[in-house]
């Protein structure tokens, strides 16, 4: 894909949604960190339903750590892998309190050292909470990048490197959200809805789908 096509696609997304953001509900970097950890292999909707109640009683590392795994579990047991996630969330709260003064670090290595935090989660926090022009590659972004031709790659790290190389700088801050939303609602895994896709003119996916009738 050439640079003109990529620019046209991102200009189209920006025109339609100038200020995209995550669909996870949060107020602070800490709440976002916890929400992203909980969202692994779960929907944002299910996480939001849980955290609206959780953050009402425990919205800081101190308060959440005081709950302990047993106290946290009732709030998140509707989310997949909740036992592992409860252990990780309490563990990351402990590390934030012991090593970072209760603050979420604005540093990739420090974030990735926290329980339950991998590169994708660290990237989401750095981008969304701290405004870093970083692109976190999840399953939606991986699919859209390959299917459209924006940044094809066989593994997540390759796609991330290509996105950072090929996405024009002016779009890099918001690219993460535009790509996720496009993959979640239009360029779906089983059948992309090409008939209502705003960037289909430039997309290099050849077997474009037609609208279903009836």
């Amino acid at each position: 894909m050439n640079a003109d096509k990529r620019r046209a696609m991102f200009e189209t997304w920006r025109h339609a949604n100038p200020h995209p953001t995550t669909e996870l509900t949060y107020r602070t970097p800490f709440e976002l960190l916890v929400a992203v950890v909980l969202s692994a292999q779960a929907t944002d909707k299910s996480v939001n339903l849980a955290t609206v109640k959780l953050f009402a009683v425990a919205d800081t590392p101190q308060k959440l750590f005081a709950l302990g795994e047993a106290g946290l579990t009732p709030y998140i047991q509707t989310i997949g892998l909740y036992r592992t996630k409860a252990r990780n969330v309490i563990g990351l709260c402990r590390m934030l309190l012991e090593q970072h003064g209760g603050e979420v670090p604005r540093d990739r290595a420090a974030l990735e050292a926290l329980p339950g935090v991998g590169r994708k989660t660290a990237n989401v926090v750095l981008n969304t909470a701290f405004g870093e022009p970083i692109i976190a590659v999840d399953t939606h972004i991986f699919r859209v990048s390959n299917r459209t031709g924006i940044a094809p790659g066989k593994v997540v790290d390759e796609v991330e490197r290509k996105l950072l190389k090929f996405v024009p700088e002016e779009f890099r801050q918001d690219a993460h959200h535009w790509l996720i939303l496009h993959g979640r609602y239009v360029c779906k895994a089983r059948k992309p809805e090409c008939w209502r896709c705003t960037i289909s003119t430039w997309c290099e996916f050849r077997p474009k789908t037609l609208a279903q009738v009836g």
Side-chain angles (χ1 to χ4, degrees):
M1 177 176 288
N2 63 47
D4 289 340
K5 282 186 177 182
R6 290 191 187 92
R7 174 168 291 279
M9 293 164 86
F10 282 102
E11 284 178 343
T12 299
W13 283 325
R14 181 172 63 184
H15 178 75
N17 186 5
H19 306 290
T21 189
T22 178
E23 293 186 316
L24 291 169
T25 301
Y26 76 99
R27 295 166 297 183
T28 65
F30 174 69
E31 289 187 354
L32 177 64
L33 173 62
V34 171
V36 178
V37 169
L38 293 176
S39 71
Q41 299 181 50
T43 65
D44 288 358
K45 182 178 179 180
S46 69
V47 173
N48 290 337
L49 288 172
T51 56
V52 68
K53 297 177 182 178
L54 172 62
F55 293 153
V57 298
D59 58 354
T60 66
Q62 294 90 340
K63 293 176 183 177
L64 216 162
F65 182 69
L67 286 180
E69 289 183 42
L72 171 59
T73 295
Y75 290 99
I76 65 170
Q77 60 188 1
T78 55
I79 301 173
L81 306 174
Y82 70 90
R83 289 188 177 87
T84 298
K85 291 176 181 178
R87 183 168 61 252
N88 286 335
V89 168
I90 296 304
L92 72 83
C93 287
R94 179 194 296 275
M95 286 188 67
L96 291 178
L97 292 169
E98 292 179 349
Q99 300 181 22
H100 303 287
E103 299 293 326
V104 176
R106 187 173 179 168
D107 176 81
R108 180 193 304 284
L111 285 168
E112 290 187 21
L114 299 172
V117 178
R119 184 177 182 86
K120 185 189 77 173
T121 297
N123 281 351
V124 171
V125 173
L126 290 170
N127 174 265
T128 305
F130 297 122
E132 301 283 349
I134 293 170
I135 303 174
V137 179
D138 70 349
T139 55
H140 295 300
I141 293 181
F142 186 82
R143 179 175 66 256
V144 171
S145 297
N146 275 285
R147 187 181 275 165
T148 62
I150 289 176
K154 294 182 178 180
V155 295
V156 168
D157 288 351
E158 182 183 5
V159 169
E160 181 183 332
R161 287 195 301 272
K162 287 186 175 181
L163 285 169
L164 292 175
K165 178 180 179 181
F166 294 137
V167 174
E169 186 175 356
E170 66 183 283
F171 303 114
R172 229 167 273 161
Q173 173 62 44
D174 294 319
H176 167 79
H177 300 299
W178 285 321
L179 289 163
I180 281 183
L181 293 171
H182 191 68
R184 184 173 290 166
Y185 297 112
V186 181
C187 198
K188 299 176 181 179
R190 290 189 177 182
K191 185 178 182 181
E193 298 181 0
C194 303
W195 62 88
R196 65 183 191 89
C197 175
T198 57
I199 55 111
S200 61
T201 299
W202 308 285
C203 171
E204 296 184 349
F205 181 60
R206 289 292 169 252
K208 289 187 170 65
T209 60
L210 300 175
Q212 293 177 315
V213 179

